[in-house]
Amino acid sequence: MARERKLSRRAILGGAAATAAAGATTLAGAPAAQAADAAAAAADRTASVDAVVVGGGLAGLTAARDIAAGGKSVLVLEARDRVGGRVFNLTLPNGSYTEGGGEFIGPTQDRIKALADSLGVATFPTYNTGKNVLLKDGKRTPYATDGLLGSVPPIDVAGLANAAAVQALLDDMAKKVPVGAPWTAAKAAEWDAQTFESWLKANAIIPSAKFLFDVACTSIFSAEPRELSLLYVLFYIAAAGNETTPGTFERLTETADGAQANRFVGGSQQVPLKLAASLGDKVVLGAPVRRIASGAGGRLTVTADGISVSARRVVVALPPPLAARIDFDPLLPALRDQLAQHLPMGAIGKAIAVYDTPFWRADGLNGQVVSDQGAVRSTFDNSPQDGSFGALMGFIESDEMRALDGASEAEVKAAVLKDYVAYFGAKAASPTAFLLQRWDNERFSRGGPVAYGPPGFLTTYGAALRTPTGAVHWAGTETSTYWNGYMDGAVRSGERVAKEVLAAL
């Protein structure tokens, strides 16, 4: 099929191939001036392709790769001045990088690993040598993670026993939830009618056990237990595996042998950067999609800033709440529109303090914290593989993030460093650099790491998550059956939707 593209090379990644191979200065995405040039170059351009992909994150780029490999013409329209979506490297003053978004990869996350391998992006183990720190009820307790309890914090014996029983029960219940259709579980209606909080109150009856699950919940979902459907939590546990390995709660929370086991050499954004580079001028930046309308001959017209594209099929690879901000003509079916209204984004930020050395290692600590107080309640050692400088990364999540959404960066920094001093000592008070990524305030994300399901969502709207709406197909990590909410889920969704599109073309 002939296609009208008329797109300048400057309307893509700002030289995607060069960017992917360049140093850390460009790893975080195209500079603002470069993006402005790209937008200007794309102005008033038109194109005609077989498929348009809305969103240049891992899901959209994977879909575009597979559609192109299937012999069909494709164009990716990305609103930002960079690719990667919720996967984003932050550039440090020393010229290196740190991960401001999705970061970790672990066992059974097969599709993101295969993609990274195909692009030559290697992984290395997350730093996990030494003791964790528990701060609870004002008491700081370093504890080993290589004993009988593993990384479980040393709470009271009754709490440990209760927590173990609750975790086993959650895993057993999750085995009864089909990852492809959790709303069909035998007890779906019962489980979806209650919050995770109400279930925990009835089962995690020892306060210290309840504390562990509260911290785990905010760490996994960036949402409070009161906000989540029990069925959704069980589905998420079931999805933390693959076609041959059942998901477990422990796999979601663990570092060694868990979802936080490894990081990417060069930072996680290397994966979408190199994938986009392989697509060349099939990727257009600075092109937020405003409207998707049906046209003559069953084709769709996708209107973005500076470009209009005619396509036979459209893939929307955005979080559902953001996809709903596009003007659809004709209107989306009410069920699909209400689906997006019922999926809120988690509230999350990442705060990274940089030091001359990872000084906590000399103190026998691995940089990982569990806390019941502060703006940051879980941390990781984000130092480079060679340990040439130190970086402490803290998650600001859920209620803590919402409380700081309107605060200045200086106020957030002060709150974060106060926590780091409580966890790691006085040396943490004086970083050489401090970086903050507040996803709640990021225009084209408005939260993260995932749009989560409150009570009633899955049983009412779940079946519409992946169902195409005419010639519009839906992708994104929120639509994945395995590793929903993770980079692996995004890649899986892109692979699935590409098969749908190729079968329809």
Side-chain angles (χ1 to χ4, degrees), residues 199-468:
W199 186 88
L200 282 175
K201 283 184 175 180
N203 290 274
I205 57 176
I206 305 298
S208 56
K210 176 68 162 51
F211 155 73
L212 292 182
F213 287 99
D214 287 346
V215 171
C217 179
T218 54
S219 297
I220 294 167
F221 300 101
S222 297
E224 300 292 332
R226 68 175 185 270
E227 299 175 292
L228 299 164
S229 155
L230 173 61
L231 178 63
Y232 179 78
V233 171
L234 295 175
F235 156 68
Y236 218 77
I237 295 169
N242 59 19
E243 292 78 2
T244 60
T245 307
T248 65
F249 186 83
E250 184 178 30
R251 193 172 296 120
L252 288 169
T253 60
E254 287 294 308
T255 299
D257 299 321
Q260 289 70 233
N262 296 294
R263 296 166 61 197
F264 288 104
V265 176
S268 52
Q269 198 186 2
Q270 278 280 7
V271 179
L273 281 170
K274 290 193 172 186
L275 180 53
S278 74
L279 289 166
D281 64 1
K282 296 178 179 66
V283 179
V284 180
L285 297 180
V289 170
R290 308 298 184 182
R291 193 166 190 262
I292 299 174
S294 296
R299 297 183 69 86
L300 298 172
T301 299
V302 181
T303 305
D305 289 3
I307 184 171
S308 179
V309 189
S310 173
R312 295 166 64 192
R313 294 279 156 171
V314 173
V315 172
V316 178
L318 303 176
L322 297 185
R325 298 179 184 182
I326 298 172
D327 177 24
F328 288 87
D329 182 15
L331 292 173
L332 291 175
L335 187 70
R336 177 71 211 188
D337 190 67
Q338 290 172 14
L339 176 154
Q341 296 176 39
H342 285 79
L343 267 185
M345 298 297 293
I348 187 171
K350 293 181 79 172
I352 300 99
V354 180
Y355 304 90
D356 289 333
T357 64
F359 62 84
W360 50 92
R361 296 183 183 181
D363 296 332
L365 303 177
N366 61 19
Q368 296 173 44
V369 166
V370 175
S371 176
D372 67 351
Q373 66 182 52
V376 167
R377 303 193 177 193
S378 63
T379 68
F380 284 87
D381 183 330
N382 257 41
S383 308
Q385 187 177 11
D386 61 7
S388 54
F389 62 89
L392 284 172
M393 182 274 288
F395 287 109
I396 312 173
E397 300 182 284
S398 193
D399 283 349
E400 285 66 50
M401 186 70 262
R402 287 187 280 259
L404 291 171
D405 276 340
S408 69
E409 183 164 337
E411 291 170 326
V412 177
K413 178 181 178 180
V416 169
L417 293 184
K418 178 182 178 182
D419 294 338
Y420 287 1
V421 168
Y423 303 149
F424 301 107
K427 292 179 182 178
S430 304
T432 59
F434 182 85
L435 294 93
L436 179 65
Q437 177 68 21
R438 289 193 270 193
W439 289 101
D440 291 25
N441 295 342
E442 206 272 345
R443 180 181 298 275
F444 297 113
S445 293
R446 301 316 308 264
V450 65
Y452 62 84
F457 172 77
L458 283 173
T459 50
T460 306
Y461 305 103
L465 267 170
R466 292 182 291 276
T467 303

Side-chain angles (χ1 to χ4, degrees), residues 22-71:
T25 301
T26 55
L27 281 175
Q34 198 174 51
D37 288 346
D44 300 322
R45 302 297 184 182
T46 59
S48 179
V49 293
D50 291 320
V52 167
V53 176
V54 182
L58 282 170
L61 294 172
T62 299
R65 175 203 62 179
D66 289 0
I67 292 169

Side-chain angles (χ1 to χ4, degrees), residues 18 31 82 84 88 106 112 151 155-157 242 246 317 340 355 379 407 432 438 470:
R82 62 171 180 83
F88 181 36
I112 180 66
S151 62
I155 58 174
D156 57 280
V157 174
N242 59 19
Y355 304 90
T379 68
T432 59
R438 289 193 270 193

